[in-house]
Amino acid sequence: MKPARLSRVEESGAVKCLACAHGCVVTEGRTGLCGVRRTVKGELQSMVYGLPASVALDPIEKKPLYHFFPGSTALSLGTFGCNFTCAFCQNYELSQARDIDEELSRLPFLDPEAVVQLALRQGASSIACTYNEPAVWAEYALDIAVQAREAGLRTVFVSNGFYSRELLDEALPLIDAYNIDLKSFSDDFYRRVCGGRLQPVLDAIRAIHEAGAWEEITSLIIPGLNDSEHELRAMAHFVASIDPAIPWHVSRFFPMYHMQDTPITPAASIERAVQVGHEEGLLHVYSGNLSVHDGSSNTVCPRCGATVVERQGYTVTARTGLTCPTCGTHIKGVDR
């Protein structure tokens, strides 16, 4: 274990975690809600520093990030633990794992420099902190980001955005791009289905944009929970109010974890969400988890409609940078 610097000892002697908006007070020998930040001898420790539970080379489009080095690859890693308890989690084997001391003892140690060297050997353009919530392993993720920048690599957070102000202050100067899950526009949904709150997520989305980092937003559309016309418009309107050029990814739900009995999102619901996003002023709305190749994952010039980046699934099949080949309009994003 390694000391978790995103913490403080209160006047009462209690140890408070500062990694996310829960602000857990962690008593001796216990962990916070995430299950991976434990108080030992009066000091908060990260149980997962240097111990990724999953490492893979992914297309950056899989994060999904469509306007950040399109067509590149990201060395992707995640640990155990999460500060949310989403009933629909797709990576619940990692995120909801608890009492993991034995599993951690079997994992090889991979320090930040080793992560960067692995990314370089595999030809990645970036390192993605993904698969589980980066906030719960923030010290490791941020140390990786420091090493990555020195090596000319970018760092990405794929995250629920439930951040503390202290984490934002450390992350914003170091993390180059974010994909933030906007799971709903209902605080009740966040509390009941995810074990969190809406407002800290909205605050983080605003703060990331104001800091000048690249961000894209993902919403998993779940039948009967967040797929109403009102809900879709509220999410799209909020994103557009920050910047109409922020890409919004609307993804199809498949039964998972504690929501095995919830039906798959109809394709028509995803198509409607895309339409609503455009009606609310968003320039780039993408559908996810659909098997059809109808051009809905292509990046299209908002001025003339020409295809700027063509995709088949997560694969970029044709691209002209982020400048329209027909009218010369620059598409907002980050490219080589």
Side-chain angles (χ1 to χ4, degrees):
M1 292 193 289
K2 190 176 177 72
R5 63 180 180 268
L6 283 164
S7 64
R8 69 166 178 254
V9 179
E10 305 282 57
E11 289 184 8
S12 65
V15 178
K16 184 179 179 67
C17 180
L18 303 176
C20 83
H22 283 308
C24 294
V25 175
V26 187
T27 57
E28 184 67 30
R30 305 295 295 271
T31 68
L33 291 172
C34 64
V36 295
R37 298 170 72 81
R38 175 184 288 163
T39 295
V40 179
K41 296 181 180 179
E43 182 178 54
L44 193 67
Q45 302 275 336
S46 170
M47 298 166 59
V48 293
Y49 190 103
L51 298 174
S54 183
V55 182
L57 188 69
D58 288 334
I60 195 68
E61 278 76 15
K62 193 175 181 179
K63 300 304 104 189
L65 286 167
Y66 279 15
H67 293 223
F68 185 80
F69 292 93
S72 69
T73 55
L75 182 73
S76 302
L77 69 160
T79 69
F80 291 113
C82 188
N83 53 359
F84 275 9
T85 54
C86 299
F88 50 84
C89 183
Q90 298 177 352
N91 285 334
Y92 63 91
E93 297 95 337
L94 295 180
S95 70
Q96 302 308 311
R98 298 296 185 268
D99 301 319
I100 55 172
D101 294 84
E102 185 176 342
E103 287 90 340
L104 291 174
S105 70
R106 294 195 292 264
L107 293 175
F109 184 76
L110 201 65
D111 67 22
E113 184 177 357
V115 172
V116 170
Q117 291 305 313
L118 180 60
L120 291 171
R121 287 197 302 273
Q122 297 199 4
S125 297
S126 58
I127 296 171
C129 303
T130 180
Y131 304 141
N132 75 317
E133 174 50 48
V136 308
W137 49 287
E139 292 83 6
Y140 184 35
L142 295 174
D143 288 351
I144 290 170
V146 171
Q147 297 276 344
R149 184 160 294 181
E150 291 177 357
L153 298 174
R154 309 297 180 98
T155 307
V156 169
F157 269 15
V158 180
S159 172
N160 60 35
F162 195 66
Y163 297 153
S164 66
R165 184 66 248 181
E166 290 83 357
L167 175 56
L168 279 170
D169 288 344
E170 286 210 27
L172 289 175
L174 291 172
I175 305 305
D176 300 286
Y178 300 76
N179 185 294
I180 301 294
D181 283 342
L182 182 57
K183 298 175 186 290
S184 169
F185 214 73
S186 161
D187 190 65
D188 178 69
F189 177 102
Y190 266 88
R191 292 176 184 272
R192 185 168 44 85
V193 182
C194 303
R197 291 176 284 117
L198 172 61
Q199 193 59 51
V201 180
L202 303 183
D203 293 343
I205 291 171
R206 287 193 186 95
I208 290 165
H209 182 72
E210 289 170 0
W214 183 250
E215 72 175 328
E216 304 188 19
I217 307 298
T218 295
S219 299
L220 184 69
I221 307 303
I222 305 173
L225 285 181
N226 65 354
D227 62 341
S228 69
E229 184 83 5
H230 171 76
E231 183 96 8
L232 295 174
R233 288 199 179 277
M235 290 190 285
H237 180 80
F238 171 75
V239 177
S241 72
I242 295 174
D243 188 340
I246 295 175
W248 187 34
H249 302 263
V250 288
S251 292
R252 193 181 197 186
F253 166 84
F254 287 88
M256 188 65 66
Y257 194 34
H258 293 314
M259 294 182 62
Q260 299 285 343
D261 295 330
T262 302
I264 297 170
T265 310
S269 296
I270 300 301
E271 292 164 1
R272 179 57 184 157
V274 171
Q275 183 180 1
V276 166
H278 287 305
E279 289 172 357
E280 291 297 324
L282 288 170
L283 301 178
H284 305 285
V285 187
Y286 299 102
S287 58
N289 290 348
L290 291 179
S291 58
V292 296
H293 300 300
D294 59 356
S296 58
S297 64
N298 293 345
T299 298
V300 174
C301 175
R303 182 178 180 184
C304 73
T307 297
V308 179
V309 182
E310 182 179 276
R311 299 179 180 89
Q312 292 288 333
Y314 297 131
T315 302
V316 170
T317 54
R319 65 188 298 272
T320 58
L322 285 174
T323 300
C324 178
T326 301
C327 70
T329 296
H330 175 68
I331 310 299
K332 274 193 176 182
V334 181
D335 202 5
R336 298 173 182 81

